[in-house]
Amino acid sequence: MNTKKKFLESKKINDYEVLTPTGWVNIDAIHKTIAYDVYHLVTSKFELFCADKHIVFKDGKEEYVINLSKGDFLDSINGPIEILSIEN
């Protein structure tokens, strides 16, 4: 069992929202986390630098970025979007 803490620091915030599959949701805090491998994910619409365990949606299901491959399609607000490259 991994007993390592994920969050090293937390800071309360207000007046900030994020769009989720079920609509806009208030964010209550931001966190500094333990070190993760960083992935660079590129599509025709955006680039994302994120943690290996960052969650995105693929085929209506949550998926870690570490499990994605070039050619996979992510769910987006504008429909499916293809991953052009993904590098660690």
Side-chain angles (χ1 to χ4, degrees):
M1 182 168 106
N2 185 357
T3 59
K4 196 176 207 182
K5 238 172 102 171
K6 180 178 177 179
F7 299 130
L8 301 175
E9 296 176 33
S10 295
K11 180 180 178 184
K12 296 270 185 200
I13 62 171
N14 44 359
D15 297 327
Y16 197 84
E17 296 178 324
V18 64
L19 183 58
T20 72
T22 58
W24 289 96
V25 175
N26 288 330
I27 293 179
D28 298 323
I30 56 175
H31 311 284
K32 180 178 179 181
T33 66
I34 61 174
Y36 289 95
D37 286 341
V38 176
Y39 277 73
H40 181 204
L41 187 150
V42 179
T43 75
S44 61
K45 301 287 184 188
F46 64 84
E47 293 185 43
L48 176 65
F49 290 90
C50 59
D52 51 359
K53 298 287 179 114
H54 183 80
I55 295 173
V56 295
F57 287 87
K58 178 183 165 194
D59 300 323
K61 298 177 183 167
E62 293 182 356
E63 186 70 57
Y64 288 131
V65 167
I66 195 171
N67 297 327
L68 299 174
S69 301
K70 178 180 175 181
D72 285 347
F73 283 82
L74 301 177
D75 300 343
S76 82
I77 195 167
N78 297 315
I81 189 160
E82 184 177 7
I83 297 173
L84 302 178
S85 69
I86 184 164
E87 298 177 0
N88 180 349

